[in-house]
Every structure is written in C-alpha cells, then in structure tokens.
Amino acid sequence: MSAGEKVKLIGLFLLWYLGNYYYNIYNKVALNEGGGKTGPYPYTIATAQLGIGFLWAIASWMITINPITFARQVMPKLSFSDCMSVSGVSVFSALAHLGSVLTMNAGSVAFGQIVKAAEPVFAAGVNTLFYSKPPTMAKALMLPIIVLGVAIACLKPDKDGHYKVEFEVVAVLAGSAANLAAAFKGSENARLMSAPGLKERIGGTGNQFALSQVFGFIALIPIALYMEGANLSGFVKLCQTNQKFLYNLVLSGLTFYGYNELSTMTIHYTSAITQSVANTAKRVIVIVGVAIALGKPLTFEEKVGSAVSISGVFLYSIADSLFSKPKAKKN
C-alpha cells in the first residue's frame, strides 16, 4: 500500500468513526424529542431517516457525482429481475435499520450496542439453518462468549446486593430482530453479488448502497403507515414546531448514509482481520463516547458485559486465522 493510500485509509476510518458516533447521538436525541420509548413516532423516524438517504441517492444520480467520494455516479440500468433481486436484500437491510432504531429508542445506546454485538450468533444460526453454511468449530466456540457478555450486561444488583436479570424487553426483542435481519441481509447480499454480471450492472459500491436506501425506504413506508399512520399529522407538526427534533432527524439520516458508505470503502484497502479490529474499535467508541456525550454513564455490569461481548465478537472474527494450521513451506 502506497503512502497516499495509507493516508486515505486513515481518513476513511476517522470519518467512518466520526459519522457513526454522531449518528448515534443525532438518532437518540431525535427519538427522545419524539417522545422516547413511549413516543408515537419511532417507526416513522426510522423510515424518515431512510427517506433522507433516498433523497441523497436521487440527488447523486441527478448531478452524476457522489458527494461523499466525488466519484462519478450515474443511475444503474437494471432489468426488472435485477430490481427484484436488489429489493429483496434492501428489505432485510431496512428491517435491520428499523430494528436498530427501535432498540435504541427502548433502551440506552450502550445497551442497544451490546445487544447488537450478538449479531454473529444470529448469523451463525441463519447460515446453518437456511444456507447450509455452519460456522467452523473455532468460530462456534466463540459464540458463548458473546452471549455471556450480553447476559452480564442484563444483570442488575438489588438493594441487598443480589443480582437479578433485568432488561428492556422491547430493546432485546427489537435488537434480536435487527440482528436476524442483518444476518439474512449479509447472506443474501453475498449470494446476490455472485450473480453473473449484476455487480457490473449496479456499477460500484456507491450505487449498491444508494439502491439499498431507495428500495429500503419504499419497503418501510407501508410498515410505518400501518404502525403509526394515525400519528402522521402529529409527526408533521412536530417537524414544523420542534427545530431540535427536525435538526437531529435530518442529520441522523445524513450521517447514517455517510458512515455506512465510508465503512464499505475501507474494505477495499484492508484485510479481514484489520476490518474486524476496526469494527471492534468502532463499537467501543460508540458505547463509551455516546454514553459520555448523553450524560448516561455505563453501569459496572454494562462495562463488563460490553467488554466480554465485544471481545467475543472480535475473537469470532479472527478465530479461523488464530486456529488455522500454518501452511507447510515448500522446499
């Protein structure tokens, strides 16, 4: 890797982390301004965030320039069959986003991140049951560590010092749904990108993510209307009267789009292990940084649980490399 590419990679990582950090703050503030866990708008907020990404994608195609990478980006010419295939993956992506937003709305950002750290457990189950691709033994051995971390984070001491399991049911259920959708998205995306010629017809990472925003937004509209359609006029009024809500809603949509695209760009410059380290560091930064920024310090149990769970995720990511047999040197 040249010196210029190293500088670019460092810049991508910094912007990715920064975008993810601020997304979590903007998202949580918007949810709180919308009424928090008892508010009537979490589905609408999640949909609106993808709607902002939808507008960003359309604008990029209209000006034929990706504002994030400054690379040329034109609307891909896809067949109806291509669109149906891409929309399928986009639905899983949208559901993963919706589940994540509901998780952060129901509980703290820290607890939500800990629950979401269990995604490899769901991915292992989905790949085993639906795609006949079970994890290796090395990876399977790391899964209990992740589950243990989430369990520790759910422990709460009572006044006598005895521990009991206490958690936000909605946060756990929504986070688990997000993990499940993300697992299907990953597997379906890998299968989709192996289709002959589709990757070339889509035309690069920028278009791939733009399409996921477009189809994902369309997919969430009927869900949001079904769940919160009766509150739509109140949501519009909130946007008109609460500048703090509108500001954080718009910026959460923009930062969500931006950091996700930046994270995919780093893949082209890094190995799988480097990417695993980066993802682990990102989650730690979000858990600790957002807790400080929002004035909600982590409990001792959340600190221990997040450390155990995130360590498990990291070990899961590099397990095959750690336990693989070294190749014999050729004479």
Side-chain angles (χ1 to χ4, degrees):
M1 184 184 293
S2 66
E5 288 177 324
K6 290 180 180 178
V7 172
K8 182 177 181 179
L9 179 59
I10 292 172
L12 287 174
F13 274 128
L14 290 174
L15 291 172
W16 169 23
Y17 286 3
L18 196 64
N20 187 264
Y21 168 76
Y22 276 108
Y23 163 72
N24 278 277
I25 293 176
Y26 294 139
N27 178 56
K28 188 61 175 177
V29 173
L31 289 168
N32 288 343
E33 290 296 314
K37 64 177 67 177
T38 60
Y41 309 122
Y43 287 83
T44 309
I45 288 172
T47 304
Q49 288 171 343
L50 292 193
I52 292 166
F54 171 93
L55 296 175
W56 182 278
I58 298 299
S60 299
W61 287 329
M62 290 179 65
I63 64 176
T64 68
I65 294 291
N66 186 319
I68 297 174
T69 63
F70 299 106
R72 179 172 171 78
Q73 183 170 320
V74 296
M75 183 182 294
K77 296 180 180 179
L78 303 178
S79 66
F80 178 77
S81 178
D82 289 340
C83 289
M84 292 301 295
S85 298
V86 173
S87 64
V89 175
S90 300
V91 169
F92 285 121
S93 179
L95 291 176
H97 172 66
L98 174 61
S100 297
V101 171
L102 294 177
T103 303
M104 301 305 169
N105 186 55
S108 68
V109 173
F111 184 72
Q113 289 290 332
I114 295 168
V115 173
K116 289 191 66 200
E119 185 180 321
V121 178
F122 289 82
V126 166
N127 284 327
T128 300
L129 294 175
F130 296 94
Y131 298 92
S132 300
K133 294 180 179 180
T136 61
M137 180 59 69
K139 284 182 177 290
L141 290 173
M142 302 303 149
L143 296 177
I145 300 175
I146 302 172
V147 176
L148 175 63
V150 177
I152 292 173
C154 293
L155 293 176
K156 298 291 184 291
D158 58 23
K159 60 181 180 180
D160 297 322
H162 298 116
Y163 277 106
K164 62 180 179 179
V165 176
E166 185 178 298
F167 53 81
E168 291 285 353
V169 176
V170 175
V172 172
L173 293 178
S176 298
N179 288 339
L180 189 63
F184 275 109
K185 179 193 74 171
S187 296
E188 283 298 306
N189 190 59
R191 185 180 65 82
L192 181 67
M193 288 300 103
S194 65
L198 179 59
K199 190 174 182 179
E200 290 72 25
R201 292 194 295 275
I202 289 177
T205 303
N207 270 344
Q208 186 176 346
F209 189 69
L211 288 169
S212 75
Q213 293 285 284
V214 170
F215 288 119
F217 171 59
I218 295 172
L220 286 192
I221 290 175
I223 297 176
L225 289 176
Y226 176 78
M227 296 299 297
E228 300 173 352
N231 304 323
L232 189 58
S233 60
F235 177 80
V236 173
K237 184 177 180 180
L238 184 64
C239 290
Q240 294 172 336
T241 59
N242 189 327
Q243 292 300 310
K244 185 177 181 180
F245 171 74
L246 182 61
Y247 173 83
N248 283 278
L249 176 65
V250 172
L251 286 182
S252 64
L254 292 175
T255 50
F256 177 78
Y257 191 107
Y259 91 75
N260 273 289
E261 187 165 347
L262 289 166
S263 69
T264 58
M265 291 172 64
T266 64
I267 297 173
H268 301 295
Y269 298 94
T270 59
S271 65
I273 292 179
T274 303
Q275 195 70 18
S276 298
V277 173
N279 274 308
T280 303
K282 178 210 74 174
R283 202 172 291 279
V284 172
I285 290 171
V286 169
I287 289 176
V288 177
V290 174
I292 294 172
L294 296 178
K296 293 186 176 181
L298 302 175
T299 65
F300 173 76
E301 294 74 27
E302 286 177 334
K303 291 177 183 177
V304 175
S306 61
V308 172
S309 188
I310 291 171
S311 297
V313 173
F314 175 62
L315 291 172
Y316 177 89
S317 302
I318 66 172
D320 290 341
S321 299
L322 283 176
F323 297 104
S324 62
K325 295 180 179 179
K327 294 180 180 180
K329 294 182 179 180
K330 296 182 180 179
N331 295 327

